[in-house]
Amino acid sequence: MKIKEKIKNSSTKLYNIASKNVSKAFDYPSLKSKELKEAIAKKIRQRAILSTKARLAERNKSFEDYSDEELEIIISDEERKIKDDLKTKSLVAALAILGLDFLI
């Protein structure tokens, strides 16, 4: 009985290890897409911070003049503007590729 239990336990362990490795292999595209999304979000955040610095420089202000919540609101507004701009540009590019320039 003990031998059967040992074989059953070891085969269960092997099965679990194999299933985890298989799921990782099939999860590769989703893992890479998450990394890509994070990288894009990081770049957008950097551009938004740079735009915020420019906006504050125009007003002769600095980061110290605002609280953390106010800065977060300003940066999120800049992020929204950047995302909207990217959406518009990609739509125009897609229409140009399709040859639908009369819609632009």
Side-chain angles (χ1 to χ4, degrees):
M1 264 318 234
K2 291 182 180 183
I3 294 175
K4 287 183 179 180
E5 289 176 11
K6 287 181 182 180
I7 292 172
K8 185 177 180 181
N9 287 338
S10 61
S11 65
T12 304
K13 288 178 186 177
L14 288 173
Y15 175 76
N16 289 338
I17 292 171
S19 65
K20 286 180 186 177
N21 288 336
V22 167
S23 67
K24 284 182 185 177
F26 287 116
D27 243 7
Y28 184 76
S30 68
L31 293 174
K32 283 298 179 183
S33 69
K34 287 178 186 176
E35 290 176 11
L36 182 63
K37 286 179 184 178
E38 290 171 0
I40 291 171
K42 186 177 178 181
K43 287 288 187 184
I44 290 173
R45 184 75 172 187
Q46 289 173 351
R47 283 183 60 188
I49 290 172
L50 187 63
S51 297
T52 301
K53 286 180 183 178
R55 183 195 278 188
L56 294 178
E58 289 174 351
R59 296 179 185 167
N60 296 323
K61 300 280 184 175
S62 67
F63 282 125
E64 289 80 28
D65 296 337
Y66 295 97
S67 69
D68 290 340
E69 293 84 20
E70 290 171 333
L71 284 173
E72 186 61 36
I73 291 169
I74 294 170
I75 292 172
S76 65
D77 183 47
E78 290 294 328
E79 284 180 347
R80 182 191 52 80
K81 287 179 185 178
I82 292 169
K83 288 178 185 177
D84 289 344
D85 189 41
L86 288 172
K87 287 177 187 177
T88 304
K89 286 179 182 177
S90 16
L91 177 63
V92 169
L95 291 174
I97 289 171
L98 294 173
L100 302 174
D101 59 347
F102 61 89
L103 294 175
I104 299 175

